[in-house]
Amino acid sequence: MSFRLENIRGQRPVILPSLLLCDFGNLAAEVSRLQDAGINALHLDVMDGHFVPNLSYGMPIVEGLRNLTDMPLDVHLMISNPTSYVQQFVDAGSDLLTVHVEACEDPVSVIKQINESGIASGIALNPATEIDAIDAVLADVDVVLVMSVQAGFGGQSFQPVALEKLRQLAALREANGYSWSLEVDGGINTSTVRDCFQAGADWFVAGSAIFKQECYQAATRNLVELCT
Ligand code: DX5
Ligand code: ZN
């Protein structure tokens, strides 16, 4: 487990800005604005144009951010064949690597590979994927990421099917004594964050709800206050 992640492990609610919509021409300024807004972890959406139809960024942006901040980097891999890229994302400075169960031929071995690399691991599932698809890794991950939109694009509407999944996963965690954090991603805003919190989510990824606002601090505070 990366020492940086200890800051947010076990915390709730944690707001993680998805940097898809940030100003990539001025990453240093964006990071300092986020830090000033009280943000303490970043969510990086890596898309390959294959597992998902959209293409975003890869290792160089992770590495660039690593050089800019000590905030934990939560890297959400929306890529086919993640096992081939794990080491490069570890070397780039990721603190947590989350892979999609739909993208893994053998999720158990991919999670083992991440864990053995010395950073934290997460498993993600799309809205149409049933919870039992991730059963085999629940004892070994640090994070379970429930997608509340189909992975691939920012700015989509929240799919309420995620709420039932969050409830079921929270109950499963309780019943089995698992210690992973429960993260939700997609369409999180002032209308949806509270329901997710009440359904058991700990970490909330927000793209549009932060980057489309004038003031990141007010946007972040609003989301937190709606939970608590
Ligand atoms: C979707 C990504 C999300 C998304 C969040 O594939 O994983 O992180 O960009 O953006 P909003 O909050 O706008 O849905
Ligand atoms: Zn994401």
Side-chain angles (χ1 to χ4, degrees):
M1 166 70 60
S2 139
F3 67 92
R4 294 186 202 92
L5 215 60
E6 290 302 328
N7 287 346
I8 58 167
R9 206 168 152 78
Q11 301 288 314
R12 78 189 298 254
V14 176
I15 308 295
L16 296 113
S18 152
L19 268 57
L20 268 187
L21 288 179
C22 82
D23 177 3
F24 285 97
N26 206 346
L27 266 184
E30 291 282 43
V31 168
S32 85
R33 275 183 79 188
L34 290 166
Q35 234 144 5
D36 292 348
I39 290 294
N40 47 23
L42 304 177
H43 181 89
L44 309 181
D45 288 303
V46 175
M47 305 181 183
D48 67 352
H50 184 263
F51 174 66
V52 292
N54 199 5
L55 194 62
S56 62
Y57 52 75
M59 292 75 85
I61 292 283
V62 177
E63 200 174 342
L65 286 161
R66 178 74 298 145
N67 293 333
L68 282 174
T69 179
D70 278 332
M71 282 191 273
L73 303 179
D74 162 21
V75 178
H76 178 192
L77 292 182
M78 286 162 274
I79 64 174
S80 302
N81 192 21
T83 198
S84 300
Y85 301 93
V86 164
Q87 194 55 49
Q88 293 178 66
F89 280 101
V90 172
D91 294 342
S94 312
D95 297 291
L96 160 65
L97 266 188
T98 296
V99 294
H100 268 264
V101 67
E102 303 88 356
C104 297
E105 251 177 56
D106 178 5
V108 172
S109 76
V110 183
I111 294 300
K112 184 161 180 268
Q113 181 189 9
I114 300 170
N115 290 342
E116 285 176 353
S117 77
I119 65 165
S121 62
I123 192 79
L125 67 170
N126 267 322
T129 305
E130 303 286 344
I131 287 173
D132 57 13
I134 62 170
D135 276 353
V137 297
L138 285 180
D140 299 312
V141 290
D142 300 286
V143 171
V144 174
L145 171 55
V146 172
M147 292 304 297
S148 36
V149 300
Q150 176 71 16
F153 296 91
Q156 304 180 71
S157 305
F158 182 82
Q159 296 187 26
V161 65
L163 293 174
E164 190 44 39
K165 259 187 208 163
L166 289 169
R167 281 185 211 107
Q168 286 179 22
L169 282 161
L172 208 62
R173 175 172 59 181
E174 177 79 26
N176 292 279
Y178 296 134
S179 59
W180 26 263
S181 296
L182 193 47
E183 183 176 28
V184 63
D185 182 3
I188 298 299
N189 56 37
T190 52
S191 315
T192 56
V193 71
R194 188 181 176 80
D195 287 346
C196 292
F197 184 80
Q198 288 178 340
D202 307 302
W203 296 1
F204 303 82
V205 177
S208 322
I210 292 179
F211 289 100
K212 290 209 169 148
Q213 308 302 311
E214 272 303 303
C215 176
Y216 296 171
Q217 186 171 25
T220 306
R221 205 172 39 214
N222 272 344
L223 294 172
V224 170
E225 279 173 3
L226 281 161
C227 294
T228 49

